Amino acid sequence: EVQLAASGGALIQPGGSLRLSCAGSGFTFSHYWMHWVRQVPGKGLEWLCRIKNDGSIVDYADSAKGRFAISRDNAKNTLALQMNSLRVEDTAVYFCTSEQFWGRGTLVTVSS
Amino acid sequence: VLTQTPLSLSVTPGQPASISCKSSQSLLRSGGRTYFFWYVQKPGQPPQLLISEVSTRFPGVPDRFSGSASGTDFTLDISRVEAEDAGVYYCMQSMQLPLTFGGGTKLEIK
């Protein structure tokens, strides 16, 4: 069974940093581009970033550029998102996805 | 930009439904593959893939779901809506950066 699960969400103050993780199983993780997508509760989906299967290419949305960093460890089937300089508007549920498979999201709340 | 319509629709079981997604730019690639997806999200769950590459149903997706395209217009059709089809439907393109989603269409079953 394919499983993807994001973790690491928390309540964090503006300006703070947070690292999200995503563990994959049940599929060949190293074959897939992986993405982070977020969703403000009750709103639509916003793509943030992606990383090529071998980690050699990363792309970011403008909202993530310069503050967020995506990385992966294919030996451990894990994806990460380092988020710095967090803003109130970064409050959302964060999902990891390979486009075909989506994981349970993790809630990040940025508030003082 | 993907403009998705309608914002919501209410359909009687057994009736058809259609959701449109219009791209502001051409999404065709020279290799002939178009990375355009349809997802459904049910309350409290992550999105689930229905259709990839415009018209390829993901394994396990009922054949009442179909996808098509004409130029920059993409369509998801449900031939006969069932109660379990309720949710919010999103289109997505991964042909161009940034990847973008449509705004979503809420399907309600009468």
Side-chain angles (χ1 to χ4, degrees):
Chain A
E1 181 190 3
V2 172
Q3 289 194 354
L4 275 172
S7 61
L11 171 62
I12 189 95
Q13 290 192 337
S17 297
L18 199 61
R19 185 175 180 86
L20 305 183
S21 296
C22 171
S25 61
F27 67 108
T28 309
F29 185 85
S30 62
H31 286 186
Y32 291 84
W33 286 73
M34 293 296 298
H35 308 251
W36 286 99
V37 172
R38 70 184 178 185
Q39 184 175 39
V40 174
K43 301 297 184 183
L45 300 166
E46 180 190 10
W47 176 80
L48 291 173
C49 53
R50 68 178 181 182
I51 184 167
K52 194 178 177 186
N53 60 325
D54 61 2
S56 62
I57 297 174
V58 295
D59 296 302
Y60 296 93
D62 286 346
S63 57
K65 212 170 288 184
R67 298 189 301 129
F68 295 179
I70 187 173
S71 60
R72 67 190 299 161
D73 183 340
N74 285 340
K76 296 181 179 178
N77 287 354
T78 57
L79 179 73
L81 182 66
Q82 177 67 40
M83 303 188 294
N84 300 324
S85 303
L86 282 162
R87 305 166 181 164
V88 170
E89 54 265 37
D90 294 320
T91 295
V93 175
Y94 286 70
F95 297 99
C96 54
T97 175
S98 66
E99 291 179 354
Q100 295 90 337
F101 311 119
W102 288 67
R104 171 174 48 88
T106 188
L107 177 62
V108 173
T109 303
V110 185
S111 174
S112 55
Chain B
V1 175
L2 294 179
T3 303
Q4 189 173 337
T5 56
L7 198 60
S8 65
L9 68 167
S10 183
V11 181
T12 301
Q15 294 301 301
S18 187
I19 299 170
S20 172
C21 205
K22 185 173 180 62
S23 174
S24 58
Q25 300 178 34
S26 173
L27 297 178
L28 287 177
R29 181 169 283 175
S30 60
R33 302 180 75 174
T34 303
Y35 294 98
F36 192 90
F37 304 80
W38 289 98
Y39 299 93
V40 61
Q41 186 177 29
K42 299 181 181 181
Q45 296 182 21
Q48 304 166 235
L49 179 63
L50 294 171
I51 303 280
S52 63
E53 294 190 40
V54 178
S55 59
T56 303
R57 272 189 303 276
F58 194 58
V61 174
D63 61 8
R64 63 179 182 274
F65 290 92
S66 64
S68 62
S70 176
T72 57
D73 293 329
F74 298 82
T75 303
L76 175 70
D77 290 303
I78 310 174
S79 58
R80 295 172 305 279
V81 166
E82 297 187 6
E84 67 185 27
D85 299 337
V88 180
Y89 289 75
Y90 294 96
C91 56
M92 186 195 84
Q93 67 81 22
S94 63
M95 300 288 293
Q96 299 172 352
L97 291 173
L99 279 65
T100 48
F101 291 89
T105 295
K106 184 174 185 178
L107 174 62
E108 175 195 78
I109 311 301
K110 289 181 182 175

